[in-house]
Amino acid sequence: MIPISLASGVMAVVGGAVLLRIVLSFKTLVHCLGRWWRWVEERTQAYQNFEIPRYSDCGQENPLYRRAAAYVAALPSLEDAAAANLFSSGRKPNDFFLLLGPGHSATDSFLGARVSWTNAPCAGGFPRLVLRLRRQDRTRVLRPYLQHVESVADDLELRRREVRLFTSSVGAGDGGGPRWRSVLFTHPATLDTVAMDPELKARIRADLESFLKGRAYYHRLGRVWRRSYLLHGRPGTGKSTFVAAMAKVLGYDIYDVDLSRVSAGGDDLKALLLSTTPRSVILVEDLDRHLKGKGVGEEGESQLTRILNFMDGIFSCCGEERVMVFTMSSDGGGMEGVEPAVLRPGRLDVHIHFPLCDFTAFKTLASSYLGLKDHKLYPQVEEGFHSGARISPAEVGEIMMANRGSPNRALKSVISALQQASSNAGRNPSESGSGRRWEDPAAGSGSGGGGGGLGFGKESIKEFKKLYGMIKMKSGSKKEDATPAASAASATPDKLDKDHPH
């Protein structure tokens, strides 16, 4: 006789198999019913087909075909198509994508309407896509759906395209040769890796993303779709790295315009800019050097006029969807001595100040370079910054890279550099602040010759040292008389809040 436990196990297995068969049969039945319903619907509904050829009759490429093909390749239903072609981009590992096979279809839905795309056999040797939707949905769906396709395809292309760096070719263009030479732009900088105040970084990212989506808004206002930025600060404060991060966020190519290599006439510069493409960052570095390059007098005035004409005429002669970036690297890090006409809104929309390194920026750099969130030497580093010493972020980064195997040695080297810099702080007070500063000339800040970031003057540095010394003496002593420190603290809070916000 078969044991009762064994018989129960066999019955359970059989029961499970029967239940699984019923479930699979039910799913198969639902699938068959769905296909049957679609077949009935196709026979009873009136459909309309819209062909999208790759080339026109005169041989010109149809931009809508390229966008539609990119959109169809990103459809989730493409994985369920009867046939699809699998490709690899070859630009980076595991970058695979699907394309619809010839004669096969993929479905999509939009505003409650069901549409389908078919890769139709070539007619006359030219490939084409066929969009199919119900005739009753044509008026309500067709135009919004095509706008949706173009928008999604543009976003996909922006994320996938390779950013390139263009530099002007010496002597090119006269003989019909190219005016620009390009290389693949592989700079690893991103906004996440830039040492910058988080709130300011968020504002900049929002401003760039708003510009990317602002075509309709700018056109509604009757304005050219462009944006201009001024990055000013001492050498080594991260302006060039920030430009690379901007290009990564936008997905735009970079055109590096060297005004010293362009002839004095405006035609050569205009022809150079006409050969730039949409979706590009046009970079002009050391604008203050070019403004002062001709000295004073009539020649100096002609140089200023040439720069102003360049800034005013740039967008009318080279089209839309450009971002202009100017940098200034004056010794003071500010914009003293720069003509207010250069800085006015319309020529420079946003001013961003890049100060020397402070303790907040130092902690960001230490996290990136050394992987440190905190360290026992941080109080000494903070004391060095509070003493008024400032060094550039580039110098801090170089110290950390050279000593990346020993965080202790790296921090001690930073402390030594701060001590060395502090001896010159009183004689040549450096700029400071809690982080890079956003200035919008249209809002009333940054106009005129100032435009610098938040900073310490000589008097505020002395007051800060005095206050810091008193607080330190108070913490080391157990005496109860704290009147001098209290009076010093009550005399300076407004100044501290203004010059060194937390």
Side-chain angles (χ1 to χ4, degrees):
M1 294 182 63
I2 300 177
I4 296 177
S5 59
L6 179 60
S8 300
V10 171
M11 291 180 64
V13 171
V14 172
V18 171
L19 182 62
L20 179 62
R21 188 178 183 87
I22 292 173
V23 170
L24 293 177
S25 299
F26 179 74
K27 291 181 67 176
T28 304
L29 179 62
V30 170
H31 178 70
C32 291
L33 286 175
R35 294 191 63 178
W36 176 79
W37 176 257
R38 285 195 296 271
W39 181 87
V40 172
E41 189 181 40
E42 288 180 359
R43 296 302 183 276
T44 56
Q45 295 285 344
Y47 283 84
Q48 188 166 356
N49 296 333
F50 298 89
E51 294 188 359
I52 305 176
R54 182 170 185 177
Y55 298 102
S56 64
D57 295 337
C58 57
Q60 292 183 344
E61 186 176 8
N62 183 3
L64 180 58
Y65 177 89
R66 175 174 52 83
R67 293 188 174 96
Y71 178 82
V72 173
L75 286 177
S77 62
L78 189 59
E79 298 180 1
D80 301 327
N85 299 324
L86 182 62
F87 293 90
S88 172
S89 67
R91 292 192 294 266
K92 50 187 177 181
N94 303 322
D95 187 15
F96 305 110
F97 61 95
L98 295 171
L99 292 179
L100 195 61
H104 294 276
S105 301
T107 59
D108 191 18
S109 60
F110 184 76
L111 297 180
R114 186 170 178 271
V115 300
S116 66
W117 292 92
T118 303
N119 185 1
C122 298
F126 295 153
R128 58 196 174 100
L129 291 171
V130 178
L131 172 64
R132 189 168 185 261
L133 74 162
R134 292 189 301 179
R135 187 180 296 273
Q136 66 187 44
D137 295 329
R138 178 187 57 186
T139 305
R140 179 177 64 91
V141 170
L142 180 60
R143 189 173 294 275
Y145 182 62
L146 291 178
Q147 293 173 351
H148 168 71
V149 168
E150 287 196 328
S151 175
V152 171
D154 287 343
D155 290 341
L156 290 171
E157 183 181 359
L158 196 61
R159 290 198 297 266
R160 291 174 180 172
R161 74 192 296 262
E162 295 178 334
V163 177
R164 303 190 70 83
L165 173 64
F166 290 80
T167 57
S168 56
S169 304
V170 180
D174 295 336
R179 288 186 169 271
W180 295 101
R181 291 180 181 176
S182 68
V183 294
L184 192 62
F185 188 68
T186 57
H187 200 295
T190 63
L191 275 185
D192 295 329
T193 61
V194 171
M196 179 179 284
D197 177 70
E199 183 180 350
L200 174 60
K201 190 185 298 187
R203 290 186 64 188
I204 294 171
R205 187 188 297 274
D207 187 71
L208 294 173
E209 292 175 351
S210 175
F211 171 78
L212 282 175
K213 302 173 183 177
R215 180 200 295 266
Y217 177 74
Y218 277 86
H219 287 183
R220 182 169 62 83
L221 296 177
R223 297 188 58 175
V224 179
W225 187 21
R226 54 84 177 168
R227 194 77 168 146
S228 57
Y229 296 83
L230 172 65
L231 316 180
H232 61 98
R234 294 193 177 191
T237 50
K239 298 183 294 295
S240 298
T241 302
F242 183 75
V243 173
M246 287 180 67
K248 290 292 182 67
V249 171
L250 295 167
Y252 283 11
D253 295 326
I254 299 177
Y255 286 84
D256 188 4
V257 179
D258 188 352
L259 294 180
S260 63
R261 300 174 64 181
V262 181
S263 65
D267 293 340
D268 188 56
L269 178 60
K270 186 175 294 185
L272 190 69
L273 296 171
L274 277 171
S275 58
T276 62
T277 61
R279 295 181 179 178
S280 60
V281 173
I282 300 178
L283 173 64
V284 179
E285 295 189 284
D286 299 326
L287 179 62
D288 49 341
R289 177 172 62 86
H290 295 298
L291 288 171
K292 301 172 184 176
K294 297 279 186 175
V296 225
E298 186 178 352
E299 293 185 353
E301 292 174 0
S302 65
Q303 174 72 350
L304 174 62
T305 303
R306 178 186 172 215
I307 297 294
L308 294 180
N309 290 338
F310 162 74
M311 298 174 73
D312 287 338
I314 173 70
F315 302 113
S316 61
C317 75
C318 70
E320 291 191 316
E321 210 169 355
R322 265 80 164 178
V323 171
M324 284 292 296
V325 179
F326 297 89
T327 70
M328 290 187 182
S329 301
S330 56
D331 293 338
M335 296 179 288
E336 296 80 4
V338 178
E339 286 287 339
V342 177
L343 306 175
R344 70 164 176 80
R347 290 194 173 114
L348 294 171
D349 298 323
V350 177
H351 299 177
I352 303 177
H353 179 212
F354 287 72
L356 294 176
C357 189
D358 60 3
F359 185 62
T360 303
F362 163 81
K363 290 190 292 184
T364 304
L365 292 170
S367 176
S368 299
Y369 283 83
L370 304 175
L372 295 178
K373 298 299 180 184
D374 198 2
H375 195 274
K376 61 182 180 181
L377 293 177
Y378 270 21
Q380 296 184 41
V381 178
E382 186 175 11
E383 182 180 350
F385 282 113
H386 283 172
S387 70
R390 289 293 182 270
I391 54 180
S392 70
E395 186 176 352
V396 175
E398 185 58 37
I399 292 173
M400 292 179 177
M401 286 186 65
N403 300 280
R404 59 184 178 273
S406 174
N408 277 334
R409 188 167 64 245
L411 296 186
K412 289 178 180 177
S413 300
V414 172
I415 294 171
S416 299
L418 287 171
Q419 290 173 348
Q420 185 178 357
S422 64
S423 61
N424 301 324
R427 184 171 63 256
N428 183 22
S430 59
E431 57 190 292
S432 67
S434 61
R436 292 155 174 79
R437 181 184 177 189
W438 170 294
E439 302 166 14
D440 189 346
S445 63
S447 59
L454 303 177
F456 281 125
K458 291 183 179 180
E459 295 299 322
S460 60
I461 291 176
K462 290 180 181 178
E463 292 172 357
F464 191 96
K465 287 182 177 179
K466 181 179 178 182
L467 175 61
Y468 184 81
M470 290 181 176
I471 293 175
K472 191 172 182 182
M473 291 174 59
K474 178 184 175 184
S475 63
S477 174
K478 294 184 178 180
K479 294 183 178 180
E480 306 245 340
D481 186 18
T483 307
S487 61
S490 63
T492 57
D494 292 339
K495 184 67 177 177
L496 289 175
D497 289 341
K498 178 181 178 182
D499 286 342
H500 196 66
H502 297 283

